[in-house]
Amino acid sequence: WQPFPPLTWIIPCIGHTGICDSRGVVYDFQGPYTIVRGRMMLGRATRYLPLDPEKVRAGGDEDSAAARWDRAVHSGCDDYRHKCHCLLYPNCNHHVAHCLNVMHYNNWSRYEMFQLWVMIFFKGRFCGTYGFLASMGPFLMLCLAALAYLVFSLAK
């Protein structure tokens, strides 16, 4: 996950997402009919959501969890290579949700963009101090500015 300025500055759960295979290689729906492997559109990730390949329910038990995970990620990417990217729908968040649906992650196959935002916002981890500052810094600065404005305007 990475911030999507200026949207993330105002609503900090909104951002750009990608999904990794079992080796940690990211797949990112960046534009019409385009899945980019190995890099995200807006630079370094600032947050990540640890997911457990053992919770993949699609693909049968004869394969390893990592193989089922990879197959679902690649299948979801193949599906999105045939879609035109749009800011609202379909976008990178829908791509990640679709991959989770393909794998029936945690016995669920109805992931959507909003659920993904909530999962990342509340369960995601920051990639160090830089991740926290890049993700939350602008939002916190806007909140402080609004608070300062209120305090000084009410003090008159």
Side-chain angles (χ1 to χ4, degrees):
W1 185 91
Q2 53 193 184
F4 194 81
L7 292 174
T8 309
W9 301 349
I10 301 163
I11 307 169
C13 64
I14 294 178
H16 184 78
T17 58
I19 190 165
C20 291
D21 64 16
S22 63
R23 293 172 306 284
V25 177
V26 68
Y27 292 82
D28 186 11
F29 184 44
Q30 292 185 5
Y33 318 106
T34 306
I35 301 288
V36 174
R37 181 182 185 271
R39 66 179 172 81
M40 291 186 72
M41 183 173 73
L42 301 172
R44 291 178 16 193
T46 59
R47 295 186 87 170
Y48 64 96
L49 179 65
L51 297 173
D52 182 2
E54 295 293 334
K55 293 184 178 182
V56 174
R57 298 297 175 240
D61 293 331
E62 63 279 353
D63 292 329
S64 70
R68 291 192 313 269
W69 178 277
D70 289 346
R71 193 168 35 258
V73 168
H74 292 135
S75 176
C77 289
D78 288 343
D79 292 343
Y80 267 68
R81 281 189 180 93
H82 303 287
K83 293 189 183 272
C84 187
H85 188 282
C86 180
L87 186 60
L88 298 177
Y89 182 85
N91 62 35
C92 59
N93 298 287
H94 295 102
H95 165 246
V96 173
H98 178 69
C99 290
L100 294 175
N101 290 334
V102 168
M103 62 180 71
H104 296 273
Y105 186 77
N106 204 21
N107 284 324
W108 184 254
S109 61
R110 294 189 175 166
Y111 290 96
E112 293 289 339
M113 177 175 67
F114 297 110
Q115 291 155 320
L116 198 59
W117 288 352
V118 169
M119 287 168 53
I120 293 169
F121 190 75
F122 290 107
K123 294 182 180 181
R125 298 180 185 163
F126 292 102
C127 299
T129 304
Y130 165 79
F132 175 78
L133 292 175
S135 298
M136 299 300 292
F139 173 73
L140 295 174
M141 294 300 283
L142 286 174
C143 289
L144 285 174
L147 181 63
Y149 174 78
L150 287 174
V151 167
F152 290 114
S153 66
L154 293 176
K156 290 183 181 182

